[in-house]
Every structure is written in structure tokens, then in C-alpha cells.
Amino acid sequence: MTTSTAAEPSPRTHPRPDDRPSASECPADAATDASAGKRVKLAARDLSKVFGPRPERALELLAQGGTKADAQKLGAAVGVYDVSLDIHEGETFVLMGLSGSGKSTLLRLLNRLHEPTAGQVLVDGLDITRLSRRELLAVRREKFSGMVFQQFAILPHRTVLDNVAYGLEVQGVGADERRRRALEATALVGLEGWEAYYPAELSGGMQQRVGLARALAVDADILLMDEAFSALDPLIRREMQDELIELQARVNKTIVFVTHDLDEALKLGDRIAIMKDARVVQVGTAEEILTDPADEYVEAFIEGVDRASVLTAANIMQPVKETALLRDGPNTARTKMRRHGLSGMLVVDRERRVHGYVTAKSLGAQLEDPDAPRDRIDPERMEPAVVVDMHEPLQGVIGLASEASKPIGVIDERGRLRGVVVKGAILAALAQPGQTGNGGVVAGSGVAREEGAGV
Amino acid sequence: MFDVRVPIRDWIETAVRYLQRQFATVFDGFADVVDAIIGALLSGFQAVPPLLLMGAIVLLVLWLAGWRLALFSAIGLLLIDNIGLWTPFLNTLALVVAAQLLIVLVGLPLGILAASSDTAERIMRPVLDFMQTMPAFVYLIPAVMFFGIGLVPGVVATFVFALPPLVRLVNLGIRQVPTDLIEAADAFGSTRWQKLVKVQFPVAMPTVLAGLNQSIMLNLSMVVIASMIGARGLGTEVLRGIQRINVGQGFEAGLAVVILAIILDRLTASLGKRQQRRARE
Ligand SMILES: Nc1ncnc2c1ncn2[C@@H]1O[C@H](COP(=O)(O)OP(=O)(O)OP(=O)(O)O)[C@@H](O)[C@H]1O
Ligand SMILES: [Mg+2]
């Protein structure tokens, strides 16, 4: 590896005067096109972590092409092997992978909670693997907003406010400022009024807010989150995800978020790294990974090894703002459209079965045509509607959406309209909780089809 | 069976003699310190009129453990005074408190050391097992050899016998602190000391208090035994009862010990509950 940091005799005695990364610190292979030019906040260079006795031997074995299982025979557990990553300032970077793939280990290498076996971790260009214990503590205090954990990890003997103030207390911030900032952070996560309560008196969701507030109170740039929402029940979980997105827009931290849930990764991640057997197998935006999976593992992952967590049309659909009824007159339909600022609507019958799609333009034409019916929408002028089964996997929906020029209707088993997927807004839709909480199995049968116009 | 007898007793005797000779000044110095502590406690206790001291104890109990135990303490202490055991009671109290101070002073750091180093734990464990399982009477002999007769060897023998549960449970309590709490402390850049004081120790507190409770009970169980080497107090009264085959006298002194034991036991137990009520479900 030829990073300039590695070549420097001692980064400790020669602190980088300007911490913008030089080109050599930012090898092209790690940066995607979309992210070129962005400032690297946090980077891993050939980073490895092997647990157990004689880790170097396991690394040698791996370097000679051995697998994680081979290393295991030596009594070594490979947590992370040969990972290089650039994480940019202000992005939410998600680490995703199956259980045991090394996500938590990689996260803990980034602030050196785990001592790396090999490789470097660069925080603002500074190699923290060479720091003394005291210097490391200073970096953890100044650069990292602590960490948010799956099981909350808040202190049972402290009140909410004292828990939130923990990081500030450790830094030696004075009592008045500590209190002020802790109150601020507590309010930021919506726990105003709960400051004097003890953790045992709070629900899981509220406890995790305390964990989040504790991190935000420190107000350092980097926030590490390990399956922070995984212990919460689905509704609270979505709520917290939404709030994190909202918070992130305000505080603009560099977040590294570990999850094994594709839903969550797609929703939160600006970029996603997929891990398998201690290695990172692909890094990219949600779209890049969905449209161009690096290998069968990634493909299997997004197709649904964990089928329940794969997105379906139902997960990403939005509520239907308004529909035209078959018996609506053209004027009624046009007024509905105007009121909701729509240029077209799906036409449904009383059972909410989809019969077609009508645009404002065609309604105008119908009103001008003296021969056209006045008491209902002219079936001749309806277009076929594009509908998709609510269990249709995300990939199918994306394919369809990129072709269709109108909203896609989402229907249930009985053909009734349940929601719409708007073209070009799929990723935006990912940022909102789906309408139905169908955690069921994905039925691969839901092939998109065109419903004929007319009755 | 064998012609040669393993001369354990000779070894021990030689070792003790050697220590006695080489470290005479150390032992004497230590004895003086302990003597001073007990003396101070005792003269403090005795300077206060019995009723006032009882009132103070009852108030402390009321504040820490509630009115039930306070009421029990009031009745118990009055009874002790009534049957003429107030002075031996104070002697015993001074012995118990002095020994417990030493135990806490040494036990906490040892427990913390054992928790922070596997090697230290591995070394300490058999020593603690030995200290606790060796019949308590055995400690009386070297205690007398090093410190003569009186309260000081009593405190020392009590210390050796009652130290292990505190060390053990401090170690256990700290080791049982969930790893993610430790990781959280580290992730926020806590120093070792901050981690210990703000996270490990408070979280381990219920276990630590259980250890304190156990060691106080062992401490009290040494009271009668220590009286055999001249540690004056309630134990001496029990001993007198035995020597004169006077059931009534022995029983009265024993009852006073029980009253003290109940007060101290419930008091430390309620400390643990107080802490838990606030912190846990
Ligand atoms: N402290 C440790 N000692 C030994 N082996 C470890 C340790 N921590 C992790 N490992 C091993 O490293 C590998 C990666 O574990 P890691 O916890 O990083 O996985 P993960 O992706 O976070 O999984 P999960 O989704 O279950 O949390 C596993 O094989 C694990 O057994
Ligand atoms: Mg994990």
C-alpha cells in the first residue's frame, strides 16, 4: 500500500498541518464516481482484525488464498480481512451483511475499540492505529460522538439527563454548559420532560433516544451506530429511522450505521458497503447495488436470502391521493385532479378495482367533444393503467417505473387498489414508511401487467 | 505408612518465627495503627451518653432503612443497655467497625485489581478460598504471635476471615458489567479511572453491597472466637457463660450479638435495595 501516511516516519510528531486528504490517501479504487471530489472523513486501509492466538499466522494463511474457515482451524476467528474504504464527510454510510460477516468488528476498528491486527484507520487523515492511549482518548472525544448500541448501553444508575451528559462529563465540560447541552440534545430527540427519569422507567424506543441524545450532545463529527434500531419493534423502528434522517439533515454528521436489514440500509444509507465473510464485497449507492450487484452473494442478499426484509411494492408505495370513480362525470374528475394538483388519476370502481388511467388532457378533450358522454368518463379515452401486485419485489417495480410514464397502481390479491408508486420517486419513497406492514413472505408471482381499459 | 512425616508444622512455625523476627517493627507499627483506630472509636462511643448514642444509631437506621428497622433497633439497643451489656456491646461494635474498615480499605482495591487482570484473579482465587475455608480458630495462633493478646489480634483474625467475600463479589460485580456499557464508556473516550468510577463501580454496586453484607456477617461471627484471645466485648460474656455453665448469661450475650447482626444485615441489605429500586426494574 502506498499511502503517504504509511510512508511518513511518525504522524504523531508531524501532525498534518491541513487535514484535507491528499490524492495519494484517497486511492481511486475506493472512491466511486459519484463521490469523487468529496472530502474523506474516515478511511480504512488494508484493515484486518483476527481474534485468537497468533493472529499473524492466520493473516499469512489468508494472504496465500486461504479462507475464513481455514483460519478457523488454526483457532483464529477472522473478524475483518483486508478492508479499504473511504467514508465521506456528511454521508450516512451503511455496513450491511449477514450475521457474523464482520460488521460490528469493522465498526469497532474505526474508533479502535478493537485493536487492528493489520492496516490503518485514518480519521481526518490521521492514522489512529499509531496513537498512544492518551492520544487515542483525545481523538475519541474530539472526533467521535461516541457510539449508539443495539441494546442501548445506557447507564441504569443515571437519570436520562445524566446519561445524555456522560460524554461531556468525560471531556471535563463544566457543569453549567454540560447541563445546557444535555438539555438541548434531550430535546432534539424528543425526550423533553423525561430528563429526571431513570432508564428502567422508559420504553425501548425512549431508551434508544437517550443513547442517541448522548451521542448528539457530544457534537463531534463522526457517529457510529451498531444495529441501533434492531432491538425496537417495527413501528418504533421506522419512526426512529425517519427521525434519524430528519436529524441528519440538521446536524449533518458522518454516520457509519451497521445493520443486517436491507430495508434499513436502503432507507438510511447514502452509500452501502456489503460484507461477506470478513470482507467488503461491494460499495455503492442503493441504486448501484440494486441494479448492478457485484456477485451472486450480493444478488442473493438483495433478492432475499432474508426474504422478509426485502422491499416489495407494498413497502415503497404511497397512499393514493385521489382516484376517479367509474361513475364520475368528466367535470367531477377534473375538479378532483385540480384540487390535488394531479395531471392524471387511476380510475376505479366501487370495489376499488382498477379500470384504467385518465389524464386531465383527455378529460378536457371529452368535455369539448359534443358526442362524448357527460355522466361518466369516456372508456374510449381511458389509457390502460400500469399496476403491480403489492408483493412484487422492489427490482421489478424499479424496472417498471423507469419505463412507465405514469404512476403505478399497487393492488392486493383481490385486485383492489392499495397505493401508488410514483415514477422517479422510488428512492424518495424509500425514505418514508410503507403503508402496509406486511412482514410476510414475498410471493414472486406478482408480475406486472397492463389492465385493459374499458369495463 | 511412611517413615518420614511431612513436617508442615515445622515449616509453618519457622516461617511465622522468621516473619515475626524480620518484620517486628512492621507488625508493631500496624498494631499501633489498629489500636489507635479502635481506641478512637471506643472513646468516641463512650464519650456519648448511651441514650444519645442509641438515638443517633436509630436515626441513621431510620434514614437508611425505614421505620421498621429503626423501631427494632431502638428496642434492641434499650434491651442491651437494660441487661447491663452496654459496655461490652460498645467494645464489640468498635472491633466490628474497625475490622470492617480495614476489610473495605483492602478489599475494594483487591477486588478491582482481580477484575482488571486475569492473572491477578488467578493468583487471588486459591488464596481467598484458603483464607475463607481454613477454620477461623487457626488464625488466632499467628495473630497472637504477631500482635499479642487483645483487640488488635482480634481485628486481624477477623480481617483475614471476613475479607474474601468482599474481594470475590467486587471482582464478580465488575466482571459482570455488560460489555456494551464498557464499550460505550470507551467509545466516549473515558479514561480507565472514569470508566471505573462512573460506569463499572456503580453498575456493580448491588453485587458489591452483597459482598459487604456477607463480609459483615462473617465479621460478626468472629466476635465470640476473637474473645478467646482477649478481644473484650460481647464474646467475652458468652465465653464466661460457657466457663460457668451459665445458660442465662451466655444467652443474653448471644442475644445482643444477634441484635447487632440483624441491624447490620438489614441495614446493608436495604442499601442494596435502595440503589436497585432507583436503577432497575
Ligand atoms: N471478541 C471476539 N472474540 C473472538 N471472535 C470474535 C469477537 N468478536 C467477533 N468475533 C468473530 O468475528 C466475526 C465477525 O463478528 P461480528 O460481530 O463483527 O459480526 P457481525 O457482522 O456484527 O454479526 P451480527 O450481525 O451477528 O452482529 C465472527 O466470526 C465472530 O465470531
Ligand atoms: Mg454485530
Side-chain angles (χ1 to χ4, degrees):
Chain A
M1 197 66 204
T2 57
T3 67
S4 62
T5 315
E8 269 171 22
S10 163
R12 246 182 277 166
T13 48
H14 302 286
R16 197 166 287 285
D18 140 13
D19 55 13
R20 224 173 304 128
S22 60
S24 60
E25 269 182 329
C26 192
D29 61 275
T32 63
D33 286 349
S35 57
K38 284 191 193 151
R39 192 174 167 288
V40 176
K41 184 76 192 172
L42 190 56
R45 291 285 170 271
D46 312 317
L47 198 57
S48 299
K49 173 67 184 178
V50 178
F51 298 97
R54 306 207 43 199
E56 323 77 38
R57 240 178 46 184
L59 279 189
E60 261 169 50
L61 190 77
L62 287 164
Q64 288 156 13
T67 64
K68 194 175 158 174
D70 296 334
Q72 210 138 24
K73 283 177 208 137
L74 295 177
V78 184
V80 162
Y81 181 65
D82 198 26
V83 166
S84 293
L85 282 175
D86 283 328
I87 297 168
H88 303 129
E89 184 158 46
E91 82 173 328
T92 303
F93 191 90
V94 171
L95 295 175
M96 193 175 64
L98 295 177
S99 185
S101 58
K103 309 177 294 287
S104 298
T105 307
L106 179 53
L107 192 75
R108 281 161 178 73
L109 284 168
L110 295 180
N111 64 356
R112 230 177 106 186
L113 275 187
H114 282 331
E115 205 57 54
T117 310
Q120 301 163 350
V121 176
L122 307 176
V123 178
D124 282 331
L126 175 73
D127 179 6
I128 65 162
T129 60
R130 302 192 192 184
L131 300 182
S132 70
R133 198 184 145 75
R134 271 185 61 187
E135 291 165 323
L136 176 64
L137 289 189
V139 167
R140 284 186 187 153
R141 290 174 184 184
E142 286 154 26
K143 303 281 185 183
F144 290 90
S145 281
M147 199 157 162
V148 185
F149 298 82
Q150 181 171 4
Q151 297 302 333
F152 322 136
I154 53 179
L155 298 167
H157 61 281
R158 288 183 170 224
T159 61
V160 167
L161 196 68
D162 288 344
N163 261 293
V164 173
Y166 183 83
L168 301 171
E169 204 178 303
V170 162
Q171 292 181 5
V173 174
D176 287 343
E177 193 192 340
R178 201 162 72 206
R179 191 180 153 75
R180 183 181 60 72
R181 282 168 66 181
L183 281 171
E184 223 174 80
T186 311
L188 203 59
V189 298
L191 279 182
E192 245 162 348
W194 292 89
E195 290 88 352
Y197 283 73
Y198 282 87
E201 301 168 293
L202 307 183
S203 70
M206 291 165 83
Q207 291 189 45
Q208 192 53 296
R209 280 166 208 269
V210 176
L212 194 54
R214 177 173 63 180
L216 293 174
V218 171
D219 201 24
D221 297 342
I222 306 170
L223 180 53
L224 304 179
M225 305 179 78
D226 191 358
E227 307 219 16
F229 303 146
S230 302
L232 306 176
D233 63 54
L235 271 178
I236 308 287
R237 185 171 180 172
R238 281 192 200 166
E239 203 178 296
M240 291 292 286
Q241 291 165 351
D242 293 336
E243 277 174 42
L244 183 66
I245 290 168
E246 203 179 293
L247 267 173
Q248 168 67 343
R250 271 191 279 169
V251 297
N252 197 37
K253 305 242 179 252
T254 303
I255 301 179
V256 186
F257 191 104
V258 167
T259 181
H260 57 240
D261 179 8
L262 182 66
D263 261 351
E264 196 164 67
L266 294 175
K267 185 166 169 178
L268 298 176
D270 292 317
R271 286 191 305 146
I272 299 168
I274 297 186
M275 294 193 71
K276 176 200 179 189
D277 288 346
R279 295 173 205 246
V280 168
V281 290
Q282 187 172 13
V283 182
T285 62
E287 250 169 1
E288 281 164 3
I289 288 176
L290 290 174
T291 48
D292 188 18
D295 60 17
E296 310 91 73
Y297 174 80
V298 179
E299 210 164 330
F301 206 91
I302 58 182
E303 263 174 14
V305 170
D306 179 10
R307 295 184 79 92
S309 79
V310 171
L311 284 189
T312 62
N315 295 131
I316 61 166
M317 71 190 181
Q318 297 172 344
V320 185
K321 274 194 195 147
E322 189 55 286
T323 50
L325 292 174
L326 266 181
R327 56 171 166 73
D328 280 348
N331 262 320
T332 315
R334 206 157 64 156
T335 311
K336 280 182 177 174
M337 276 187 211
R338 283 215 191 101
R339 273 237 297 281
H340 291 90
L342 301 169
S343 60
M345 283 191 307
L346 289 162
V347 183
V348 297
D349 60 22
R350 250 179 289 165
E351 266 81 53
R352 296 194 65 75
R353 277 193 298 261
V354 180
H355 287 261
Y357 184 80
V358 65
T359 60
K361 219 160 120 194
S362 72
L363 285 174
Q366 183 182 347
L367 283 166
E368 271 159 34
D369 183 350
D371 298 335
R374 284 282 172 274
D375 58 339
R376 59 197 169 97
I377 297 166
D378 187 356
E380 309 285 280
R381 295 177 202 270
M382 261 190 241
E383 294 173 31
V386 183
V387 297
V388 69
D389 190 282
M390 59 190 266
H391 300 305
E392 176 72 13
L394 182 70
Q395 278 171 305
V397 184
I398 290 178
L400 213 60
S402 57
E403 288 159 26
S405 56
K406 51 200 167 207
I408 301 167
V410 180
I411 56 172
D412 63 15
E413 308 74 28
R414 296 160 74 179
R416 288 175 308 197
L417 183 65
R418 300 291 295 269
V420 290
V421 173
V422 183
K423 188 204 163 186
I426 290 203
L427 285 177
L430 290 176
Q432 282 168 11
Q435 292 305 294
T436 50
N438 75 312
V441 191
V442 176
S445 61
V447 180
R449 52 186 189 270
E450 299 222 321
E451 299 274 289
V455 191
Chain B
M1 209 153 80
F2 297 101
D3 292 343
V4 191
R5 184 180 183 284
V6 183
I8 296 177
R9 59 172 69 168
D10 298 340
W11 292 341
I12 295 294
E13 210 138 312
T14 315
V16 169
R17 287 258 149 73
Y18 174 81
L19 288 174
Q20 212 181 351
R21 230 176 307 123
Q22 294 301 310
F23 298 99
T25 46
V26 178
F27 288 124
D28 286 350
F30 180 76
D32 289 346
V33 172
V34 175
D35 224 4
I37 295 174
I38 297 175
L41 282 169
L42 207 52
S43 52
F45 289 157
Q46 281 165 342
V48 188
L51 275 178
L52 203 63
L53 187 59
M54 282 182 211
I57 295 175
V58 170
L59 276 180
L60 182 74
V61 170
L62 181 68
W63 177 54
L64 290 173
W67 67 270
R68 278 170 214 269
L69 189 64
L71 184 65
F72 174 86
S73 309
I75 295 171
L77 293 173
L78 282 170
L79 184 66
I80 290 171
D81 190 35
N82 180 267
I83 55 182
L85 289 176
W86 187 248
T87 309
F89 172 79
L90 289 186
N91 271 311
T92 294
L93 190 63
L95 174 84
V96 167
V97 171
Q100 200 59 39
L101 276 179
L102 270 182
I103 288 168
V104 171
L105 227 59
V106 174
L108 286 188
L110 276 184
I112 290 165
L113 179 68
S116 52
S117 150
D118 287 345
T119 317
E121 191 199 28
R122 224 167 320 156
I123 295 169
M124 269 185 237
R125 178 169 289 158
V127 177
L128 293 176
D129 287 343
F130 184 90
M131 283 164 73
Q132 205 176 355
T133 45
M134 181 62 97
F137 285 93
V138 176
Y139 298 126
L140 299 181
I141 311 159
V144 168
M145 289 178 76
F146 291 134
F147 303 105
I149 295 276
L151 280 170
V152 177
V155 167
V156 172
T158 305
F159 167 82
V160 175
F161 186 61
L163 177 72
L166 184 64
V167 178
R168 233 188 271 278
L169 285 172
V170 168
N171 174 36
L172 181 72
I174 291 180
R175 282 179 184 267
Q176 277 177 343
V177 174
T179 32
D180 55 355
L181 285 182
I182 303 295
E183 285 190 325
D186 285 332
F188 281 93
S190 316
T191 60
R192 270 177 236 264
W193 177 251
Q194 287 173 327
K195 186 164 62 177
L196 179 68
V197 175
K198 294 175 194 290
V199 179
Q200 291 172 297
F201 206 73
V203 174
M205 204 48 160
T207 314
V208 171
L209 285 173
L212 186 70
N213 181 282
Q214 280 188 23
S215 82
I216 289 179
M217 291 303 108
L218 287 186
N219 180 341
L220 272 169
S221 74
M222 279 295 283
V223 163
V224 175
I225 297 170
S227 69
M228 293 170 65
I229 50 171
R232 276 167 297 113
L234 294 170
T236 322
E237 302 301 313
V238 176
L239 218 55
R240 250 181 233 151
I242 296 172
Q243 282 156 357
R244 297 180 194 164
I245 323 212
N246 185 336
V247 186
Q249 188 183 10
F251 187 84
E252 278 179 359
L255 186 68
V257 175
V258 170
I259 289 170
L260 180 59
I262 290 177
I263 295 174
L264 289 176
D265 177 57
R266 300 294 186 280
L267 203 62
T268 45
S270 76
L271 282 182
K273 278 202 209 92
R274 230 162 100 97
Q275 140 106 14
Q276 272 174 328
R277 233 197 336 269
R278 295 167 73 205
R280 302 246 162 96
E281 282 132 319

